[in-house]
């Protein structure tokens, strides 16, 4: 059976492998474009105009398909796509929603794409089908309301499900309609071949920064998809994320960013390609714009690893505000640095895996063809992220995790170490059966459904867990134990 399992995993990699080229073209700012097939990237003229939110998608060969500012969709010929205008997106034609739009491929249809866009408290989606108009695409459905989230922040991001096919779309919302001293709320939509599922709702940490604009700024997954970071006014909140269940749990709060003047907020953030470092920008609306680096894997506590990589001028015509951060397929992190008017070049972190000044930050060194950019760069999820090997959801058809909704029973974390938990399980005694990959039962016990499940006696490996209550099946799935 072990050999069959390995063959199955190899087959899944073959079926759900991904090209490096989905994010090879960027369209942003005022008619700016970059193509990353060259070093440095080659600028090209686009039709987009936007202050902050944008999204671009290419095919697996690197050919530009379309791009959008959340209001209009342009095709590869830089013309408005057929039926691609009048998308409903808040804050006018030049939206200032930080991450107000994102493009997600359909999980099972190669020519179709979701465009998700925010519109004054509503999350909406538009569908693009590239099989029409000789490959230039057609908007077949637009402005479909998914849900109303009155307290929705400007943070929207996506990551592939652990099965390598489906997607999680994640929205952060202010707690309790913006009431202080309550947890943040994360709405997580699982996107499968069957469509967009009802949201799974997770709680983050308590909202306490009453004076900061916590609804602004970026939310990012690391390239590995297991850590989520959110700007939070004057701090950055880091969560562990389970790509199988969608469960997130608070891991750390970076709150050593501001010293002295607190009249500004953090805005941009991005992980290094290896996931060991995180970069954060203080926008510089008040005082200096600052680029910070923190180490997530160093022996010291994270707050103590702060490095100031760059500081802008504080006053005058050359004052620079620092914008969004975005990792490109060349392994470098790019950001706009704008003065009193728009910038006509980007700054770049050339070696973002390196600690301190060795990361090699260059200001205004990336030509964008004399076009202008404000604060935003394309909202790019990791399109290359594939199957999470040896996880509890590394095969398509694991119904226990693929059909999640806000009331579904969930088991987390997975992979696990010493303990696992049940969420949304019915009250009462449950029976827990754990078998090895040969079908031999290695653990069996009864306990309250709300109690922690102790698996500390299990060695590393792949198992099958079945949980029942009064002979009724509650959940069955794979379980990975790591030591």
């Amino acid at each position: 059976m072990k050999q069959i399992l390995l063959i199955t995993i190899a087959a899944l990699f073959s079926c759900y492998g991904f090209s490096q080229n989905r994010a090879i073209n960027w369209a942003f700012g005022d008619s700016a474009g970059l193509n990353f097939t060259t070093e440095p990237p080659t600028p090209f003229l686009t039709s987009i105009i936007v202050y902050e939110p944008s999204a671009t998608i290419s095919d697996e060969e690197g050919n530009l398909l379309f791009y959008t500012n959340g209001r209009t969709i342009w095709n590869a010929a830089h013309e408005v796509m057929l039926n691609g205008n009048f998308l409903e997106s808040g804050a006018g034609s030049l939206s200032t929603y930080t991450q107000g739009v994102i493009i997600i491929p359909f999980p099972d249809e190669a020519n179709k794409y979701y465009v998700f866009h925010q519109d004054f408290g509503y999350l909406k989606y538009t569908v693009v089908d590239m099989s029409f108009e000789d490959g230039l695409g057609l908007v077949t459905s637009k402005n479909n309301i998914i849900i109303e989230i009155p307290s929705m922040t400007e943070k929207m991001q996506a990551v592939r499900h652990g099965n390598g096919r489906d997607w999680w779309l994640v929205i952060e919302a202010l707690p309790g309609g913006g009431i202080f001293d309550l947890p943040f709320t994360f709405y997580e939509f699982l996107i499968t071949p069957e469509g967009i599922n009802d949201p799974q709702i997770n709680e983050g940490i308590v909202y306490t920064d009453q004076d900061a604009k916590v609804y602004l700024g970026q939310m990012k997954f690391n390239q590995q998809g297991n850590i989520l970071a959110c700007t939070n006014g004057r701090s950055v909140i880091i969560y562990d994320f389970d790509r199988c269940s969608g469960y997130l749990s608070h891991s750390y709060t970076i709150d050593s960013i501001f010293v002295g003047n607190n009249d500004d907020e953090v805005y941009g953030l991005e992980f290094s390609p290896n996931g060991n470092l995180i970069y954060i920008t203080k926008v510089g609306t008040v005082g200096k714009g600052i680029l910070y680096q923190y180490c997530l894997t160093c022996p010291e506590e994270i707050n103590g690893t702060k490095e100031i990589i760059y500081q802008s001028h504080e006053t005058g015509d050359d004052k620079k505000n620092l914008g969004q951060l975005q990792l490109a397929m060349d392994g470098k992190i790019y950001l706009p640095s704008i003065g009193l008017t728009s910038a006509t070049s980007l700054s770049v972190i050339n070696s973002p895996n390196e600690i301190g000044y060795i990361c090699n930050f260059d200001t205004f060194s990336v030509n964008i063809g004399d076009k202008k950019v404000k604060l935003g760069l394309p909202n790019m999820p990791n399109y290359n992220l594939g199957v999470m090997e040896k996880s509890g959801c590394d095969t398509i058809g694991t119904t226990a995790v693929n059909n999640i909704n806000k009331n579904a029973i969930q088991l987390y974390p997975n992979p696990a170490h010493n303990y696992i938990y049940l969420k949304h399980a019915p009250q009462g005694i449950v029976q827990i059966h754990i078998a090895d990959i040969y079908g031999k039962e290695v653990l069996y016990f009864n306990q309250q459904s709300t109690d922690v499940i102790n698996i500390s006696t299990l060695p590393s490996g792949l198992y099958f867990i079945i949980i029942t209550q009064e002979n009724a099946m509650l959940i069955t799935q794979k379980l990975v134990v790591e030591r």
Side-chain angles (χ1 to χ4, degrees):
M1 184 172 179
K2 184 175 182 180
Q3 183 179 10
I4 294 173
L5 180 65
L6 293 174
I7 292 172
T8 302
I9 291 173
L12 285 167
F13 270 111
S14 174
C15 292
Y16 295 98
F18 299 98
S19 165
Q20 297 285 325
N21 296 323
R22 288 287 194 187
I24 205 169
N25 294 292
W26 291 8
F28 57 95
D30 184 354
S31 64
L34 285 178
N35 177 276
F36 287 88
T37 57
T38 60
E39 174 65 36
T42 301
F44 63 93
L45 180 66
T46 69
S47 298
I48 197 169
I49 179 168
V50 69
Y51 288 143
E52 294 181 71
S54 65
T56 312
I57 190 78
S58 301
D59 65 20
E60 294 182 0
E61 285 70 48
N63 301 303
L64 176 65
L65 293 178
F66 63 93
Y67 52 92
T68 180
N69 60 1
R71 299 280 294 182
T72 303
I73 298 175
W74 292 271
N75 59 30
H78 309 293
E79 300 171 343
V80 177
M81 183 177 288
L82 190 62
N83 197 31
N85 50 9
F86 304 117
L87 272 65
E88 295 167 355
S89 180
S93 60
L94 301 181
S95 175
T96 57
Y97 284 6
T98 311
Q99 294 175 301
V101 63
I102 196 168
I103 301 169
I104 301 298
F106 271 49
D108 63 339
E109 296 187 60
N111 290 315
K112 291 186 177 182
Y113 298 84
Y114 290 107
V115 178
F116 293 96
H117 42 107
Q118 297 182 2
D119 181 30
F120 292 116
Y122 288 91
L123 177 63
K124 300 181 178 181
Y125 75 92
T126 291
V127 176
V128 171
D129 192 332
M130 295 305 300
S131 64
F132 289 92
E133 299 299 304
D134 295 324
L136 290 177
L138 168 70
V139 172
T140 58
S141 175
K142 64 184 176 184
N143 299 325
N144 303 283
I145 296 175
I146 301 174
I147 191 173
E148 182 181 9
I149 309 175
S151 56
M152 182 164 51
T153 70
E154 298 180 7
K155 301 164 195 171
M156 178 167 61
Q157 194 51 262
V159 66
R160 279 198 184 272
H161 186 280
N163 64 21
R165 178 197 66 188
D166 303 334
W167 285 87
W168 291 106
L169 177 72
V170 181
I171 307 287
E172 185 193 49
L174 297 177
I179 299 174
F180 300 110
D181 302 321
L182 290 174
F184 283 95
T185 304
F186 290 88
Y187 290 76
E188 301 174 5
F189 302 85
L190 186 61
I191 303 165
T192 74
E194 286 71 44
I196 305 166
N197 286 15
D198 290 337
Q200 173 178 316
I201 298 176
N202 272 310
E203 290 184 347
I205 69 162
V206 171
Y207 174 30
T208 58
D209 197 347
Q210 302 184 24
D211 299 322
K213 299 175 182 177
V214 296
Y215 56 88
L216 299 176
Q218 289 183 284
M219 174 171 67
K220 288 291 188 75
F221 286 96
N222 64 351
Q223 291 296 288
Q224 297 73 29
N226 62 348
I227 297 178
L228 178 68
C230 303
T231 60
N232 181 43
R234 302 182 183 104
S235 62
V236 169
I237 313 301
I238 298 177
Y239 298 91
D240 292 324
F241 185 81
D242 186 337
R243 288 172 57 200
C244 293
S245 68
Y247 180 77
L248 58 81
S249 57
H250 177 235
S251 173
Y252 196 85
T253 298
I254 300 177
D255 54 12
S256 63
I257 300 170
F258 285 85
V259 177
N261 185 352
N262 282 341
D263 293 330
D264 210 344
E265 288 84 27
V266 294
Y267 176 69
L269 61 81
E270 182 61 280
F271 291 90
S272 60
N274 62 12
N276 293 336
L277 303 172
I278 190 169
Y279 294 86
I280 302 163
T281 61
K282 171 184 174 289
V283 68
T285 304
V286 178
K288 299 178 179 180
I290 303 177
L291 173 64
Y292 301 92
Q293 180 200 77
Y294 284 83
C295 181
L296 304 180
T297 58
C298 292
E300 309 98 297
E301 186 182 5
I302 296 173
N303 271 315
T305 66
K306 179 173 74 173
E307 295 277 359
I308 295 178
I309 303 301
Y310 171 77
Q311 297 186 65
S312 71
H313 296 281
E314 188 164 2
T315 59
D317 291 344
D318 56 353
K319 171 180 168 60
K320 302 296 186 297
N321 293 341
L322 302 185
Q324 297 178 19
L325 293 162
Q326 181 58 49
L327 178 67
M329 60 168 292
D330 61 3
K332 301 178 181 182
I333 295 175
Y334 294 80
L335 72 154
S337 308
I338 66 171
L340 297 182
T341 59
S342 297
T344 55
S345 59
L346 297 180
S347 299
V348 59
I349 306 170
N350 289 290
S351 304
N353 286 333
E354 302 295 333
I355 295 177
Y357 290 109
I358 304 175
C359 72
N360 188 15
F361 178 65
D362 279 346
T363 57
F364 308 106
S365 59
V366 181
N367 175 31
I368 57 174
D370 295 325
K371 303 305 173 185
K372 294 181 178 181
V373 61
K374 282 289 188 179
L375 293 174
L377 292 174
N379 193 10
M380 290 284 194
N382 183 3
Y383 292 110
N384 304 322
L385 192 59
V387 175
M388 192 165 71
E389 186 181 4
K390 297 181 181 179
S391 73
C393 59
D394 62 359
T395 60
I396 301 300
T398 308
T399 57
V401 293
N402 281 354
N403 294 327
I404 289 174
N405 58 51
K406 60 185 177 182
N407 297 314
I409 299 172
Q410 300 161 42
L411 184 147
Y412 64 90
N414 195 356
H417 298 287
N418 295 314
Y419 304 99
I420 51 179
Y421 307 85
L422 282 177
K423 187 176 183 180
H424 302 313
Q427 296 293 318
I429 300 294
V430 295
Q431 295 75 48
I432 298 166
H433 309 257
I434 300 179
D436 63 20
I437 62 173
Y438 302 103
K440 179 182 177 181
E441 189 168 82
V442 293
L443 274 182
Y444 169 77
F445 46 89
N446 298 301
Q447 68 172 51
Q448 289 288 337
S449 62
T450 54
D451 291 344
V452 61
I453 301 172
N454 190 332
I455 57 169
S456 60
T457 60
L458 294 178
S460 296
L462 178 65
Y463 298 87
F464 298 93
I465 182 168
I466 300 172
I467 301 177
T468 60
Q469 186 178 59
E470 297 179 353
N471 297 320
M473 184 78 70
L474 297 182
I475 188 171
T476 176
Q477 68 178 67
K478 294 179 186 177
L479 171 67
V480 176
V481 176
E482 294 180 345
R483 296 280 175 244

